[in-house]
Amino acid sequence: QSLSLLQRRGPPVAKNDGKDAEQAWLKAKQRKGALVERVRDAKDLRGLNNGANLTDFKKPSDFLLAENNVLTFAEVKSVQSGTSFAFSNIKQKQKTTALSLAAKGMGFLYVFYIFSYGRGQWFTMDGSKFAQINSEGRASAKFEELTCIQI
């Protein structure tokens, strides 16, 4: 799906499996010359092994991103909401990795890239911001608290 179609405002998509946002993000980053390495997940492994149901280990993020002389864990998410990003969209290993980095003063090395279909906009939340909001006992972040970006 093209970036312009993904970013348009309009009715929610019928099924948001996250793949359209991932593809738009990946293409945009590659166009800008970033080095992006996808960490293979269970779906990828099944496809490579003729559909065999294989056990997979938990990943800290879907991508490693080398950009502006920094290597980061990059996790791409998309939500229907136009108001907030619910932390229930984050897998346990992703939470643990982001919080561990933040606790060591390196939260900037984990970045959630979040596309809001409700707003037609991209946002980022690094591990430090996630840790701060999480420590307040909150289950989501308002988009106004996050950094709106053009990808």
Side-chain angles (χ1 to χ4, degrees):
Q1 183 166 357
S2 77
L3 186 60
S4 61
L5 285 176
L6 180 63
Q7 288 185 311
R8 71 171 174 77
R9 289 181 186 235
V13 292
K15 180 181 180 241
N16 177 18
D17 63 4
K19 295 302 177 190
D20 290 339
E22 280 188 0
Q23 285 303 310
W25 178 86
L26 181 61
K27 287 178 184 176
K29 289 298 182 183
Q30 289 173 333
R31 265 196 315 272
K32 292 181 178 181
L35 174 64
V36 182
E37 184 67 31
R38 179 164 177 64
V39 180
R40 295 188 180 214
D41 61 11
K43 271 190 208 173
D44 296 326
L45 294 175
R46 278 193 297 278
L48 291 170
N49 291 282
N50 299 318
N53 193 10
L54 302 172
T55 302
D56 189 23
F57 59 93
K58 299 188 182 337
K59 314 293 188 306
S61 66
D62 286 339
F63 299 95
L64 293 176
L65 171 66
E67 184 177 52
N68 302 320
N69 297 319
V70 178
L71 180 65
T72 59
F73 293 96
E75 182 60 35
V76 180
K77 301 290 187 184
S78 58
V79 295
Q80 302 290 357
S81 175
T83 58
S84 63
F85 173 70
F87 295 159
S88 61
N89 290 301
I90 303 173
K91 295 177 183 166
Q92 187 58 48
K93 179 64 174 177
Q94 296 164 356
K95 287 179 186 180
T96 302
T97 304
L99 293 173
S100 295
L101 285 168
K104 294 176 181 0
M106 298 183 290
F108 64 92
L109 294 176
Y110 199 107
V111 181
F112 295 96
Y113 292 85
I114 305 156
F115 183 75
S116 164
Y117 281 99
R119 288 183 174 225
Q121 294 176 303
W122 284 94
F123 296 87
T124 60
M125 175 178 62
D126 72 11
S128 299
K129 184 69 166 180
F130 171 61
Q132 176 221 325
I133 296 169
N134 189 64
S135 73
E136 295 168 2
R138 294 172 40 206
S140 65
K142 301 270 185 223
F143 286 123
E144 288 77 22
E145 301 174 276
L146 307 182
T147 304
C148 185
I149 61 166
Q150 297 291 321
I151 62 165

